[in-house]
Amino acid sequence: MSSARSITESANPPRAVYLDYPLGHTSGKPDDRNNQLDIMRATLAAFETIDSPGTIVDLLFEWTPDDSWKDRVMRPSPKKEPGEGQKAGPKQAGAKEDSHSDDRVARFDTPQYQTEDDASSADPNCPTCVFLTDNR
Amino acid sequence: MSTRAPVDYIQRTREQYDALGYPAYEWVHNESPPPFAELEKPLKQCKVGLIASGGIYTRGQIAFHYKDDFSYREIPTDIETSALRATHFAYDLTDARRDPNVVFPIDTLRQCVTDGLIGSLADVAYTFMGGIYSVRKVETLLAPALAERVVKDEVDVVLLVPV
């Protein structure tokens, strides 16, 4: 499944389906079971229908009737209008306020938990967390 | 069907990096036709594996960090959806935290088993956080480790869900 067609074309996997949704919704819209199931049925069907390596099937779903969301992707507005620009999701730790500069999130090398409770309930010896060793 | 062009993330990343004065990011580029395995049985008899890179972990597990974390998590496919969490530096997590199925289609796939569309799910799904800048670490460490796991799980097909 892919929501980034150019990246998938470049990586060139054996089979792919492309869903024209904003990043973070590779398998559907939140709390929309029918949408998620329709997308999954179309995705699973591609396992049986794709017969040529490198094929990308374009799924027939639209995020919104118009494509205006695409104008804002990785293009923060150079100047914030009053009341705008603060609704793009949760403020993430380290995110800079100034959209003129790097608006990406700081890269901490400590676990970034969703909630405080997650942090306190995490098993430091977690047997289902697999840390690979880089010998280089 | 949308007739408008997909967002070209490679081009937009190049523009963003240019503006920040960074050298261009070198995306993975594979020219040759990829290896291709035919499906050996109808999908409704297939055991399906799931690997997702949206930074999903469960309560009780160690969360991913944001600096080339190439570790992975085992997630039982009978997990309560309410125990799933999401962390990632490169996409808006609002919807994934509200409904993890947007990047980790676990309820969706369980429904597909119930509906008889697929035979079964592997007992365990694998997750990681895809913001790994080292292609080498992914190609030589993470990808082979996950490939080995799904072979051991004896799945017929694997669904990859990147973000």
Side-chain angles (χ1 to χ4, degrees), chain A residues 1 10 15 25-27 31 36 70 88 108 112 114 117-118 128 130 136, chain B residues 12 28 30 37 57 59 61 66 72 74 85-87 92 95 99 101 136 162:
Chain A
M1 306 183 85
S10 186
R15 299 172 174 85
H25 310 88
T26 319
S27 44
D31 298 325
Q36 294 169 6
K70 294 178 180 177
F108 301 105
Q112 300 297 302
Q114 179 172 330
D117 170 68
D118 292 349
T128 55
V130 183
R136 183 162 141 181
Chain B
R12 293 204 191 184
V28 172
N30 295 311
Y57 66 100
R59 186 178 179 277
Q61 287 182 328
Y66 290 177
Y72 70 89
E74 302 171 6
R85 304 285 185 269
T87 190
D92 184 340
D95 288 341
D99 178 7
N101 284 286
R136 179 186 64 83

PDB file of all heavy atoms in Angstrom, chain A residues 1 10 15 25-27 31 36 70 88 108 112 114 117-118 128 130 136, chain B residues 12 28 30 37 57 59 61 66 72 74 85-87 92 95 99 101 136 162:
ATOM      1  N   MET A   1       0.856  -1.174   0.000  1.00  0.00           N
ATOM      2  CA  MET A   1       0.000   0.000   0.000  1.00  0.00           C
ATOM      3  C   MET A   1       0.896   1.229   0.000  1.00  0.00           C
ATOM      4  O   MET A   1       1.946   1.230   0.650  1.00  0.00           O
ATOM      5  CB  MET A   1      -0.902   0.026   1.249  1.00  0.00           C
ATOM      6  CG  MET A   1      -1.712  -1.251   1.437  1.00  0.00           C
ATOM      7  SD  MET A   1      -2.844  -1.205   2.859  1.00  0.00           S
ATOM      8  CE  MET A   1      -4.289  -0.390   2.148  1.00  0.00           C
ATOM      9  N   SER A  10      10.057   4.785  -7.313  1.00  0.00           N
ATOM     10  CA  SER A  10      11.514   4.745  -7.191  1.00  0.00           C
ATOM     11  C   SER A  10      11.982   3.457  -6.503  1.00  0.00           C
ATOM     12  O   SER A  10      12.959   2.842  -6.923  1.00  0.00           O
ATOM     13  CB  SER A  10      11.985   5.984  -6.419  1.00  0.00           C
ATOM     14  OG  SER A  10      13.384   6.065  -6.397  1.00  0.00           O
ATOM     15  N   ARG A  15       4.675  -5.547  -6.201  1.00  0.00           N
ATOM     16  CA  ARG A  15       3.272  -5.171  -6.389  1.00  0.00           C
ATOM     17  C   ARG A  15       2.970  -3.982  -5.495  1.00  0.00           C
ATOM     18  O   ARG A  15       3.439  -3.943  -4.359  1.00  0.00           O
ATOM     19  CB  ARG A  15       2.317  -6.285  -5.932  1.00  0.00           C
ATOM     20  CG  ARG A  15       2.405  -7.619  -6.621  1.00  0.00           C
ATOM     21  CD  ARG A  15       1.514  -8.604  -5.864  1.00  0.00           C
ATOM     22  NE  ARG A  15       1.411  -9.898  -6.511  1.00  0.00           N
ATOM     23  CZ  ARG A  15       2.283 -10.890  -6.340  1.00  0.00           C
ATOM     24  NH1 ARG A  15       3.323 -10.726  -5.548  1.00  0.00           N
ATOM     25  NH2 ARG A  15       2.103 -12.044  -6.962  1.00  0.00           N
ATOM     26  N   HIS A  25      -2.406   8.123   6.315  1.00  0.00           N
ATOM     27  CA  HIS A  25      -3.701   7.473   6.061  1.00  0.00           C
ATOM     28  C   HIS A  25      -3.555   6.422   4.975  1.00  0.00           C
ATOM     29  O   HIS A  25      -4.421   6.289   4.101  1.00  0.00           O
ATOM     30  CB  HIS A  25      -4.751   8.504   5.638  1.00  0.00           C
ATOM     31  CG  HIS A  25      -4.817   9.687   6.548  1.00  0.00           C
ATOM     32  ND1 HIS A  25      -4.026  10.796   6.383  1.00  0.00           N
ATOM     33  CD2 HIS A  25      -5.547   9.912   7.667  1.00  0.00           C
ATOM     34  CE1 HIS A  25      -4.265  11.660   7.357  1.00  0.00           C
ATOM     35  NE2 HIS A  25      -5.180  11.152   8.141  1.00  0.00           N
ATOM     36  N   THR A  26      -2.464   5.653   5.063  1.00  0.00           N
ATOM     37  CA  THR A  26      -2.143   4.685   4.014  1.00  0.00           C
ATOM     38  C   THR A  26      -3.248   3.652   3.846  1.00  0.00           C
ATOM     39  O   THR A  26      -3.439   3.108   2.760  1.00  0.00           O
ATOM     40  CB  THR A  26      -0.825   3.959   4.348  1.00  0.00           C
ATOM     41  OG1 THR A  26       0.109   4.896   4.882  1.00  0.00           O
ATOM     42  CG2 THR A  26      -0.230   3.289   3.123  1.00  0.00           C
ATOM     43  N   SER A  27      -3.974   3.359   4.922  1.00  0.00           N
ATOM     44  CA  SER A  27      -5.018   2.323   4.821  1.00  0.00           C
ATOM     45  C   SER A  27      -6.410   2.861   5.148  1.00  0.00           C
ATOM     46  O   SER A  27      -7.293   2.094   5.504  1.00  0.00           O
ATOM     47  CB  SER A  27      -4.654   1.113   5.684  1.00  0.00           C
ATOM     48  OG  SER A  27      -4.174   1.481   6.947  1.00  0.00           O
ATOM     49  N   ASP A  31     -11.880   6.113  11.723  1.00  0.00           N
ATOM     50  CA  ASP A  31     -13.241   5.789  12.180  1.00  0.00           C
ATOM     51  C   ASP A  31     -14.235   5.605  11.037  1.00  0.00           C
ATOM     52  O   ASP A  31     -15.433   5.825  11.221  1.00  0.00           O
ATOM     53  CB  ASP A  31     -13.747   6.888  13.153  1.00  0.00           C
ATOM     54  CG  ASP A  31     -12.885   6.973  14.397  1.00  0.00           C
ATOM     55  OD1 ASP A  31     -12.399   5.927  14.855  1.00  0.00           O
ATOM     56  OD2 ASP A  31     -12.695   8.100  14.902  1.00  0.00           O
ATOM     57  N   GLN A  36     -12.323   1.972   5.065  1.00  0.00           N
ATOM     58  CA  GLN A  36     -11.140   1.134   5.299  1.00  0.00           C
ATOM     59  C   GLN A  36     -11.315  -0.249   4.661  1.00  0.00           C
ATOM     60  O   GLN A  36     -10.374  -0.796   4.078  1.00  0.00           O
ATOM     61  CB  GLN A  36     -10.879   1.003   6.802  1.00  0.00           C
ATOM     62  CG  GLN A  36     -10.471   2.328   7.462  1.00  0.00           C
ATOM     63  CD  GLN A  36     -10.482   2.259   8.978  1.00  0.00           C
ATOM     64  OE1 GLN A  36     -10.679   1.197   9.566  1.00  0.00           O
ATOM     65  NE2 GLN A  36     -10.288   3.397   9.625  1.00  0.00           N
ATOM     66  N   LYS A  70      -3.393  19.061  -1.173  1.00  0.00           N
ATOM     67  CA  LYS A  70      -2.058  18.815  -1.736  1.00  0.00           C
ATOM     68  C   LYS A  70      -1.198  20.080  -1.787  1.00  0.00           C
ATOM     69  O   LYS A  70       0.026  19.994  -1.781  1.00  0.00           O
ATOM     70  CB  LYS A  70      -2.176  18.235  -3.146  1.00  0.00           C
ATOM     71  CG  LYS A  70      -2.810  16.848  -3.163  1.00  0.00           C
ATOM     72  CD  LYS A  70      -2.970  16.322  -4.579  1.00  0.00           C
ATOM     73  CE  LYS A  70      -3.596  14.941  -4.556  1.00  0.00           C
ATOM     74  NZ  LYS A  70      -3.837  14.414  -5.912  1.00  0.00           N
ATOM     75  N   ALA A  88      -2.930  22.312  12.591  1.00  0.00           N
ATOM     76  CA  ALA A  88      -2.416  21.203  11.776  1.00  0.00           C
ATOM     77  C   ALA A  88      -2.072  19.982  12.609  1.00  0.00           C
ATOM     78  O   ALA A  88      -1.238  19.197  12.240  1.00  0.00           O
ATOM     79  CB  ALA A  88      -1.185  21.667  10.996  1.00  0.00           C
ATOM     80  N   PHE A 108      14.816  13.405  18.592  1.00  0.00           N
ATOM     81  CA  PHE A 108      15.312  12.916  19.863  1.00  0.00           C
ATOM     82  C   PHE A 108      15.702  11.437  19.750  1.00  0.00           C
ATOM     83  O   PHE A 108      15.078  10.687  19.015  1.00  0.00           O
ATOM     84  CB  PHE A 108      14.231  13.066  20.939  1.00  0.00           C
ATOM     85  CG  PHE A 108      13.793  14.481  21.129  1.00  0.00           C
ATOM     86  CD1 PHE A 108      12.570  14.908  20.627  1.00  0.00           C
ATOM     87  CD2 PHE A 108      14.604  15.381  21.792  1.00  0.00           C
ATOM     88  CE1 PHE A 108      12.162  16.223  20.788  1.00  0.00           C
ATOM     89  CE2 PHE A 108      14.199  16.700  21.952  1.00  0.00           C
ATOM     90  CZ  PHE A 108      12.986  17.130  21.450  1.00  0.00           C
ATOM     91  N   GLN A 112       9.855   8.183  22.230  1.00  0.00           N
ATOM     92  CA  GLN A 112       8.872   9.272  22.166  1.00  0.00           C
ATOM     93  C   GLN A 112       7.465   8.701  22.364  1.00  0.00           C
ATOM     94  O   GLN A 112       6.803   8.296  21.411  1.00  0.00           O
ATOM     95  CB  GLN A 112       8.995   9.996  20.825  1.00  0.00           C
ATOM     96  CG  GLN A 112      10.365  10.621  20.594  1.00  0.00           C
ATOM     97  CD  GLN A 112      10.683  11.704  21.615  1.00  0.00           C
ATOM     98  OE1 GLN A 112       9.937  12.675  21.742  1.00  0.00           O
ATOM     99  NE2 GLN A 112      11.769  11.520  22.353  1.00  0.00           N
ATOM    100  N   GLN A 114       3.478   8.190  23.303  1.00  0.00           N
ATOM    101  CA  GLN A 114       2.236   8.918  23.006  1.00  0.00           C
ATOM    102  C   GLN A 114       1.684   9.566  24.272  1.00  0.00           C
ATOM    103  O   GLN A 114       1.184  10.680  24.236  1.00  0.00           O
ATOM    104  CB  GLN A 114       1.207   7.949  22.399  1.00  0.00           C
ATOM    105  CG  GLN A 114      -0.130   8.600  22.067  1.00  0.00           C
ATOM    106  CD  GLN A 114      -1.053   7.653  21.300  1.00  0.00           C
ATOM    107  OE1 GLN A 114      -0.613   6.790  20.554  1.00  0.00           O
ATOM    108  NE2 GLN A 114      -2.352   7.820  21.505  1.00  0.00           N
ATOM    109  N   ASP A 117       1.478   7.774  30.540  1.00  0.00           N
ATOM    110  CA  ASP A 117       1.174   6.430  31.039  1.00  0.00           C
ATOM    111  C   ASP A 117       1.953   5.364  30.268  1.00  0.00           C
ATOM    112  O   ASP A 117       2.447   4.401  30.849  1.00  0.00           O
ATOM    113  CB  ASP A 117      -0.330   6.177  30.928  1.00  0.00           C
ATOM    114  CG  ASP A 117      -0.675   4.719  31.187  1.00  0.00           C
ATOM    115  OD1 ASP A 117      -0.508   4.272  32.340  1.00  0.00           O
ATOM    116  OD2 ASP A 117      -1.079   4.026  30.226  1.00  0.00           O
ATOM    117  N   ASP A 118       2.082   5.550  28.949  1.00  0.00           N
ATOM    118  CA  ASP A 118       2.879   4.612  28.143  1.00  0.00           C
ATOM    119  C   ASP A 118       4.310   4.551  28.662  1.00  0.00           C
ATOM    120  O   ASP A 118       4.908   3.484  28.765  1.00  0.00           O
ATOM    121  CB  ASP A 118       2.959   5.063  26.682  1.00  0.00           C
ATOM    122  CG  ASP A 118       1.630   4.975  25.977  1.00  0.00           C
ATOM    123  OD1 ASP A 118       0.699   4.385  26.542  1.00  0.00           O
ATOM    124  OD2 ASP A 118       1.548   5.504  24.869  1.00  0.00           O
ATOM    125  N   THR A 128       9.210  -8.162  23.306  1.00  0.00           N
ATOM    126  CA  THR A 128       8.668  -8.047  21.951  1.00  0.00           C
ATOM    127  C   THR A 128       9.222  -6.821  21.218  1.00  0.00           C
ATOM    128  O   THR A 128       8.737  -6.464  20.148  1.00  0.00           O
ATOM    129  CB  THR A 128       7.130  -7.969  21.980  1.00  0.00           C
ATOM    130  OG1 THR A 128       6.747  -6.884  22.836  1.00  0.00           O
ATOM    131  CG2 THR A 128       6.520  -9.268  22.479  1.00  0.00           C
ATOM    132  N   VAL A 130      12.487  -5.526  19.389  1.00  0.00           N
ATOM    133  CA  VAL A 130      13.687  -6.164  18.841  1.00  0.00           C
ATOM    134  C   VAL A 130      14.669  -5.093  18.367  1.00  0.00           C
ATOM    135  O   VAL A 130      14.391  -4.353  17.422  1.00  0.00           O
ATOM    136  CB  VAL A 130      13.327  -7.118  17.682  1.00  0.00           C
ATOM    137  CG1 VAL A 130      14.583  -7.827  17.178  1.00  0.00           C
ATOM    138  CG2 VAL A 130      12.282  -8.138  18.144  1.00  0.00           C
ATOM    139  N   ARG A 136      28.783  -2.240  12.142  1.00  0.00           N
ATOM    140  CA  ARG A 136      29.690  -1.371  11.407  1.00  0.00           C
ATOM    141  C   ARG A 136      30.094  -0.180  12.269  1.00  0.00           C
ATOM    142  O   ARG A 136      29.283   0.373  12.966  1.00  0.00           O
ATOM    143  CB  ARG A 136      29.002  -0.869  10.138  1.00  0.00           C
ATOM    144  CG  ARG A 136      29.912  -0.014   9.301  1.00  0.00           C
ATOM    145  CD  ARG A 136      29.393   0.098   7.890  1.00  0.00           C
ATOM    146  NE  ARG A 136      29.596   1.462   7.394  1.00  0.00           N
ATOM    147  CZ  ARG A 136      29.223   1.837   6.197  1.00  0.00           C
ATOM    148  NH1 ARG A 136      28.615   1.002   5.392  1.00  0.00           N
ATOM    149  NH2 ARG A 136      29.438   3.080   5.796  1.00  0.00           N
TER     150      ARG A 136
ATOM    151  N   ARG B  12       9.170  17.538  -3.634  1.00  0.00           N
ATOM    152  CA  ARG B  12       8.944  18.497  -2.537  1.00  0.00           C
ATOM    153  C   ARG B  12      10.012  18.383  -1.458  1.00  0.00           C
ATOM    154  O   ARG B  12      10.394  19.369  -0.841  1.00  0.00           O
ATOM    155  CB  ARG B  12       7.542  18.301  -1.956  1.00  0.00           C
ATOM    156  CG  ARG B  12       6.487  18.690  -2.969  1.00  0.00           C
ATOM    157  CD  ARG B  12       5.161  19.079  -2.379  1.00  0.00           C
ATOM    158  NE  ARG B  12       4.172  19.176  -3.456  1.00  0.00           N
ATOM    159  CZ  ARG B  12       2.929  19.572  -3.298  1.00  0.00           C
ATOM    160  NH1 ARG B  12       2.492  19.904  -2.101  1.00  0.00           N
ATOM    161  NH2 ARG B  12       2.112  19.623  -4.320  1.00  0.00           N
ATOM    162  N   VAL B  28      15.842   5.639  -2.247  1.00  0.00           N
ATOM    163  CA  VAL B  28      16.113   4.313  -2.806  1.00  0.00           C
ATOM    164  C   VAL B  28      15.599   4.284  -4.240  1.00  0.00           C
ATOM    165  O   VAL B  28      14.486   4.743  -4.511  1.00  0.00           O
ATOM    166  CB  VAL B  28      15.387   3.219  -1.977  1.00  0.00           C
ATOM    167  CG1 VAL B  28      15.504   1.869  -2.665  1.00  0.00           C
ATOM    168  CG2 VAL B  28      15.973   3.161  -0.579  1.00  0.00           C
ATOM    169  N   ASN B  30      15.444   1.557  -7.434  1.00  0.00           N
ATOM    170  CA  ASN B  30      15.697   0.227  -8.000  1.00  0.00           C
ATOM    171  C   ASN B  30      15.201   0.179  -9.434  1.00  0.00           C
ATOM    172  O   ASN B  30      14.016   0.349  -9.699  1.00  0.00           O
ATOM    173  CB  ASN B  30      14.988  -0.854  -7.168  1.00  0.00           C
ATOM    174  CG  ASN B  30      15.560  -0.949  -5.769  1.00  0.00           C
ATOM    175  OD1 ASN B  30      16.772  -1.026  -5.584  1.00  0.00           O
ATOM    176  ND2 ASN B  30      14.689  -0.924  -4.755  1.00  0.00           N
ATOM    177  N   ALA B  37       6.867 -13.286  -7.092  1.00  0.00           N
ATOM    178  CA  ALA B  37       6.396 -14.634  -6.769  1.00  0.00           C
ATOM    179  C   ALA B  37       4.905 -14.723  -7.056  1.00  0.00           C
ATOM    180  O   ALA B  37       4.132 -13.863  -6.633  1.00  0.00           O
ATOM    181  CB  ALA B  37       6.672 -14.950  -5.298  1.00  0.00           C
ATOM    182  N   TYR B  57       3.268   1.036  18.245  1.00  0.00           N
ATOM    183  CA  TYR B  57       3.724   0.164  19.322  1.00  0.00           C
ATOM    184  C   TYR B  57       2.540  -0.070  20.247  1.00  0.00           C
ATOM    185  O   TYR B  57       1.472   0.512  20.040  1.00  0.00           O
ATOM    186  CB  TYR B  57       4.925   0.779  20.067  1.00  0.00           C
ATOM    187  CG  TYR B  57       4.614   2.047  20.834  1.00  0.00           C
ATOM    188  CD1 TYR B  57       4.409   2.023  22.218  1.00  0.00           C
ATOM    189  CD2 TYR B  57       4.511   3.279  20.192  1.00  0.00           C
ATOM    190  CE1 TYR B  57       4.122   3.180  22.928  1.00  0.00           C
ATOM    191  CE2 TYR B  57       4.220   4.433  20.892  1.00  0.00           C
ATOM    192  CZ  TYR B  57       4.032   4.383  22.269  1.00  0.00           C
ATOM    193  OH  TYR B  57       3.734   5.523  22.962  1.00  0.00           O
ATOM    194  N   ARG B  59       0.954  -0.331  24.303  1.00  0.00           N
ATOM    195  CA  ARG B  59       1.182   0.041  25.702  1.00  0.00           C
ATOM    196  C   ARG B  59       1.941  -1.109  26.369  1.00  0.00           C
ATOM    197  O   ARG B  59       1.571  -2.268  26.206  1.00  0.00           O
ATOM    198  CB  ARG B  59      -0.161   0.265  26.392  1.00  0.00           C
ATOM    199  CG  ARG B  59      -0.022   0.800  27.796  1.00  0.00           C
ATOM    200  CD  ARG B  59      -1.379   1.064  28.421  1.00  0.00           C
ATOM    201  NE  ARG B  59      -1.210   1.548  29.795  1.00  0.00           N
ATOM    202  CZ  ARG B  59      -1.017   0.749  30.836  1.00  0.00           C
ATOM    203  NH1 ARG B  59      -0.997  -0.556  30.686  1.00  0.00           N
ATOM    204  NH2 ARG B  59      -0.845   1.263  32.051  1.00  0.00           N
ATOM    205  N   GLN B  61       5.180  -1.596  25.636  1.00  0.00           N
ATOM    206  CA  GLN B  61       6.406  -1.683  24.842  1.00  0.00           C
ATOM    207  C   GLN B  61       7.174  -0.360  24.911  1.00  0.00           C
ATOM    208  O   GLN B  61       6.608   0.684  25.250  1.00  0.00           O
ATOM    209  CB  GLN B  61       6.092  -1.993  23.367  1.00  0.00           C
ATOM    210  CG  GLN B  61       5.637  -3.425  23.125  1.00  0.00           C
ATOM    211  CD  GLN B  61       5.385  -3.709  21.650  1.00  0.00           C
ATOM    212  OE1 GLN B  61       4.982  -2.831  20.896  1.00  0.00           O
ATOM    213  NE2 GLN B  61       5.598  -4.951  21.254  1.00  0.00           N
ATOM    214  N   TYR B  66      13.435   9.046  17.508  1.00  0.00           N
ATOM    215  CA  TYR B  66      13.347   9.739  16.227  1.00  0.00           C
ATOM    216  C   TYR B  66      14.684   9.891  15.512  1.00  0.00           C
ATOM    217  O   TYR B  66      14.819  10.684  14.590  1.00  0.00           O
ATOM    218  CB  TYR B  66      12.725  11.134  16.437  1.00  0.00           C
ATOM    219  CG  TYR B  66      11.253  11.110  16.806  1.00  0.00           C
ATOM    220  CD1 TYR B  66      10.576  12.290  17.090  1.00  0.00           C
ATOM    221  CD2 TYR B  66      10.535   9.920  16.856  1.00  0.00           C
ATOM    222  CE1 TYR B  66       9.231  12.286  17.420  1.00  0.00           C
ATOM    223  CE2 TYR B  66       9.195   9.906  17.196  1.00  0.00           C
ATOM    224  CZ  TYR B  66       8.552  11.090  17.478  1.00  0.00           C
ATOM    225  OH  TYR B  66       7.213  11.087  17.807  1.00  0.00           O
ATOM    226  N   TYR B  72      12.422  -2.957  15.696  1.00  0.00           N
ATOM    227  CA  TYR B  72      11.035  -3.254  15.334  1.00  0.00           C
ATOM    228  C   TYR B  72      10.282  -3.841  16.519  1.00  0.00           C
ATOM    229  O   TYR B  72      10.886  -4.214  17.529  1.00  0.00           O
ATOM    230  CB  TYR B  72      10.959  -4.161  14.100  1.00  0.00           C
ATOM    231  CG  TYR B  72      11.414  -5.603  14.256  1.00  0.00           C
ATOM    232  CD1 TYR B  72      10.516  -6.606  14.651  1.00  0.00           C
ATOM    233  CD2 TYR B  72      12.726  -5.976  13.979  1.00  0.00           C
ATOM    234  CE1 TYR B  72      10.935  -7.927  14.780  1.00  0.00           C
ATOM    235  CE2 TYR B  72      13.147  -7.297  14.094  1.00  0.00           C
ATOM    236  CZ  TYR B  72      12.246  -8.268  14.494  1.00  0.00           C
ATOM    237  OH  TYR B  72      12.655  -9.574  14.613  1.00  0.00           O
ATOM    238  N   GLU B  74       7.079  -6.533  17.811  1.00  0.00           N
ATOM    239  CA  GLU B  74       6.134  -7.615  17.514  1.00  0.00           C
ATOM    240  C   GLU B  74       4.788  -7.222  18.113  1.00  0.00           C
ATOM    241  O   GLU B  74       4.708  -6.906  19.294  1.00  0.00           O
ATOM    242  CB  GLU B  74       6.615  -8.921  18.160  1.00  0.00           C
ATOM    243  CG  GLU B  74       7.990  -9.365  17.721  1.00  0.00           C
ATOM    244  CD  GLU B  74       8.494 -10.537  18.570  1.00  0.00           C
ATOM    245  OE1 GLU B  74       7.732 -11.068  19.402  1.00  0.00           O
ATOM    246  OE2 GLU B  74       9.668 -10.906  18.402  1.00  0.00           O
ATOM    247  N   ARG B  85      -0.563   2.324  20.045  1.00  0.00           N
ATOM    248  CA  ARG B  85      -0.091   3.707  20.119  1.00  0.00           C
ATOM    249  C   ARG B  85       0.667   4.028  18.833  1.00  0.00           C
ATOM    250  O   ARG B  85       1.103   3.128  18.128  1.00  0.00           O
ATOM    251  CB  ARG B  85       0.862   3.885  21.305  1.00  0.00           C
ATOM    252  CG  ARG B  85       0.277   3.479  22.644  1.00  0.00           C
ATOM    253  CD  ARG B  85      -0.718   4.526  23.148  1.00  0.00           C
ATOM    254  NE  ARG B  85      -1.186   4.191  24.485  1.00  0.00           N
ATOM    255  CZ  ARG B  85      -2.274   3.452  24.740  1.00  0.00           C
ATOM    256  NH1 ARG B  85      -3.009   2.974  23.749  1.00  0.00           N
ATOM    257  NH2 ARG B  85      -2.627   3.214  25.986  1.00  0.00           N
ATOM    258  N   ALA B  86       0.843   5.336  18.566  1.00  0.00           N
ATOM    259  CA  ALA B  86       1.582   5.746  17.368  1.00  0.00           C
ATOM    260  C   ALA B  86       2.571   6.846  17.711  1.00  0.00           C
ATOM    261  O   ALA B  86       2.249   7.773  18.466  1.00  0.00           O
ATOM    262  CB  ALA B  86       0.620   6.241  16.288  1.00  0.00           C
ATOM    263  N   THR B  87       3.789   6.715  17.179  1.00  0.00           N
ATOM    264  CA  THR B  87       4.772   7.790  17.329  1.00  0.00           C
ATOM    265  C   THR B  87       5.634   7.868  16.071  1.00  0.00           C
ATOM    266  O   THR B  87       6.022   6.843  15.508  1.00  0.00           O
ATOM    267  CB  THR B  87       5.641   7.567  18.594  1.00  0.00           C
ATOM    268  OG1 THR B  87       6.417   8.738  18.839  1.00  0.00           O
ATOM    269  CG2 THR B  87       6.575   6.365  18.468  1.00  0.00           C
ATOM    270  N   ASP B  92       1.503  13.809  10.540  1.00  0.00           N
ATOM    271  CA  ASP B  92       0.564  14.273  11.554  1.00  0.00           C
ATOM    272  C   ASP B  92      -0.107  13.051  12.195  1.00  0.00           C
ATOM    273  O   ASP B  92      -0.831  12.310  11.535  1.00  0.00           O
ATOM    274  CB  ASP B  92      -0.476  15.179  10.878  1.00  0.00           C
ATOM    275  CG  ASP B  92      -1.438  15.797  11.879  1.00  0.00           C
ATOM    276  OD1 ASP B  92      -1.571  15.267  13.008  1.00  0.00           O
ATOM    277  OD2 ASP B  92      -2.074  16.814  11.527  1.00  0.00           O
ATOM    278  N   ASP B  95      -4.772  11.482  13.394  1.00  0.00           N
ATOM    279  CA  ASP B  95      -5.721  10.446  12.990  1.00  0.00           C
ATOM    280  C   ASP B  95      -5.248   9.045  13.372  1.00  0.00           C
ATOM    281  O   ASP B  95      -6.058   8.196  13.733  1.00  0.00           O
ATOM    282  CB  ASP B  95      -5.996  10.538  11.482  1.00  0.00           C
ATOM    283  CG  ASP B  95      -6.844  11.761  11.142  1.00  0.00           C
ATOM    284  OD1 ASP B  95      -7.499  12.302  12.059  1.00  0.00           O
ATOM    285  OD2 ASP B  95      -6.840  12.180   9.975  1.00  0.00           O
ATOM    286  N   ASP B  99      -7.499   6.527  15.486  1.00  0.00           N
ATOM    287  CA  ASP B  99      -7.844   5.217  14.926  1.00  0.00           C
ATOM    288  C   ASP B  99      -6.613   4.618  14.237  1.00  0.00           C
ATOM    289  O   ASP B  99      -6.327   4.950  13.088  1.00  0.00           O
ATOM    290  CB  ASP B  99      -8.990   5.375  13.916  1.00  0.00           C
ATOM    291  CG  ASP B  99      -9.361   4.044  13.262  1.00  0.00           C
ATOM    292  OD1 ASP B  99      -8.829   2.994  13.694  1.00  0.00           O
ATOM    293  OD2 ASP B  99     -10.185   4.062  12.320  1.00  0.00           O
ATOM    294  N   ASN B 101      -6.057   2.129  12.729  1.00  0.00           N
ATOM    295  CA  ASN B 101      -6.306   1.433  11.464  1.00  0.00           C
ATOM    296  C   ASN B 101      -5.919   2.254  10.229  1.00  0.00           C
ATOM    297  O   ASN B 101      -5.803   1.688   9.140  1.00  0.00           O
ATOM    298  CB  ASN B 101      -7.781   1.038  11.360  1.00  0.00           C
ATOM    299  CG  ASN B 101      -8.103  -0.157  12.235  1.00  0.00           C
ATOM    300  OD1 ASN B 101      -7.740  -1.284  11.926  1.00  0.00           O
ATOM    301  ND2 ASN B 101      -8.775   0.099  13.354  1.00  0.00           N
ATOM    302  N   ARG B 136      21.372   1.996   4.294  1.00  0.00           N
ATOM    303  CA  ARG B 136      22.188   0.818   4.603  1.00  0.00           C
ATOM    304  C   ARG B 136      21.589   0.013   5.760  1.00  0.00           C
ATOM    305  O   ARG B 136      21.475  -1.217   5.684  1.00  0.00           O
ATOM    306  CB  ARG B 136      23.622   1.250   4.965  1.00  0.00           C
ATOM    307  CG  ARG B 136      24.547   0.095   5.331  1.00  0.00           C
ATOM    308  CD  ARG B 136      25.899   0.587   5.825  1.00  0.00           C
ATOM    309  NE  ARG B 136      25.813   1.351   7.073  1.00  0.00           N
ATOM    310  CZ  ARG B 136      25.754   0.800   8.296  1.00  0.00           C
ATOM    311  NH1 ARG B 136      25.773  -0.505   8.433  1.00  0.00           N
ATOM    312  NH2 ARG B 136      25.673   1.568   9.359  1.00  0.00           N
ATOM    313  N   PRO B 162       3.446   1.237   4.506  1.00  0.00           N
ATOM    314  CA  PRO B 162       4.372   2.321   4.879  1.00  0.00           C
ATOM    315  C   PRO B 162       3.635   3.628   5.157  1.00  0.00           C
ATOM    316  O   PRO B 162       2.464   3.768   4.830  1.00  0.00           O
ATOM    317  CB  PRO B 162       5.246   2.447   3.635  1.00  0.00           C
ATOM    318  CG  PRO B 162       4.351   2.040   2.508  1.00  0.00           C
ATOM    319  CD  PRO B 162       3.374   1.030   3.065  1.00  0.00           C
TER     320      PRO B 162
END
